Amino acid sequence: MGGKLAIAVLVSGQGRGSNLQALLEGCASGQIAGQIAVVIGTRADAPALERARSAGVPVAVVSPRKYEGDEAGYAEALGRILKRYDIGLICLAGYMRKLPSSIIAAYHQRILNIHPALLPLFGGRGMYGEHVHQAVLESGMKVTGCTVHFVDEEYDTGPIVLQTAVPVFDEDTPQTLAARVLAEEHCAYVRAVQLFAEGRLRVEGRRVFITGGE
Ligand code: GRF
């Protein structure tokens, strides 16, 4: 491949883009041996896209609505952009949809997602944003956290790369819990992408091993 790893970040809707920001900073500081080559959103007015523009990163909008009932068309539109930027890693950062299966197949073990809970708990369809943290509080769990994982055909089920745990306190609300988890998401996502960019992730079945390093 040669050169730096080219990364595409995908965000949905009105995504605020704090994980995108962490990845941009991780690349800028040199922690990640790669660069965010393009940010792809589903809506032009997403704050995440604004962050990309401010960082001088190209932005593309592919609206799934435009391709309602035409998954092949949506996949082709996404695929064209990914090829144009010679993308080696796709990072989902607040991307709420399932990616078309042809993209998942074409980028096998080259798509990462961040989820605001300790998978395999509190994942799957409908488990996003405050729903996750509400469910954690209702469950009575004393710890929660975040998970970076490879993306497969289902929601939140791919091999787990990294997890970070945080405590759940008696006085927590979904909002306070979300904030505590989000701070850890940024570190975990940057670290996972760093390891990927250094070629240090080895997947065996459901397990991901971190190789090399000092
Ligand atoms: C994060 O909580 C992430 O875990 C989930 O979507 C949220 C995106 O937040 N997948 P942000 O747009 O990165 O701030």
Side-chain angles (χ1 to χ4, degrees):
M1 206 163 66
K4 277 188 177 176
L5 174 71
I7 302 165
V9 178
L10 267 61
V11 300
S12 275
Q14 299 272 41
R16 97 201 122 177
S18 70
N19 279 287
L20 164 66
Q21 189 70 46
L23 294 173
L24 284 166
E25 287 164 16
C27 291
S29 74
Q31 184 182 344
I32 297 171
Q35 59 173 1
I36 311 293
V38 63
V39 175
I40 307 175
T42 60
R43 281 176 62 145
D45 58 353
L49 298 191
E50 208 33 62
R51 291 186 196 250
R53 289 187 197 99
S54 316
V57 170
V59 156
V61 176
V62 186
S63 162
R65 280 225 186 122
K66 212 178 108 188
Y67 295 96
E68 203 84 70
D70 176 18
E71 184 174 278
Y74 180 61
E76 203 189 304
L78 278 180
R80 216 178 301 127
I81 299 166
L82 298 172
K83 280 215 186 76
R84 187 190 310 153
Y85 290 96
D86 198 16
I87 293 304
L89 173 68
I90 300 172
C91 290
L92 308 185
Y95 181 80
M96 307 299 192
R97 314 177 57 85
K98 255 191 201 169
L99 277 174
S101 3
S102 60
I103 299 280
I104 294 174
Y107 290 85
H108 180 63
Q109 288 175 8
R110 288 190 296 155
I111 310 176
L112 291 173
N113 181 44
I114 178 102
H115 185 76
L118 295 175
L119 293 174
L121 297 175
F122 308 107
R125 184 180 277 280
M127 274 295 173
Y128 60 88
E130 285 188 5
H131 300 290
V132 176
H133 305 293
Q134 181 68 43
V136 169
L137 288 177
E138 281 168 12
S139 76
M141 295 260 315
K142 302 293 186 191
V143 288
T144 183
C146 64
T147 303
V148 182
H149 65 95
F150 282 109
V151 170
D152 64 11
E153 294 274 348
E154 299 305 320
Y155 280 111
D156 305 324
T157 57
I160 292 169
V161 178
L162 287 180
Q163 294 187 302
T164 307
V166 303
V168 178
F169 298 126
D170 292 350
E171 56 278 16
D172 267 326
T173 63
Q175 293 75 21
T176 59
L177 205 47
R180 192 171 311 120
V181 170
L182 188 65
E184 295 303 331
E185 289 184 35
H186 300 154
C187 303
Y189 215 175
V190 170
R191 175 79 179 141
V193 174
Q194 176 193 354
L195 292 168
F196 181 94
E198 292 171 1
R200 292 175 55 196
L201 299 179
R202 183 166 52 85
V203 186
E204 272 180 40
R206 297 207 45 78
R207 301 187 69 189
V208 180
F209 296 96
I210 297 172
T211 62
E214 60 286 359

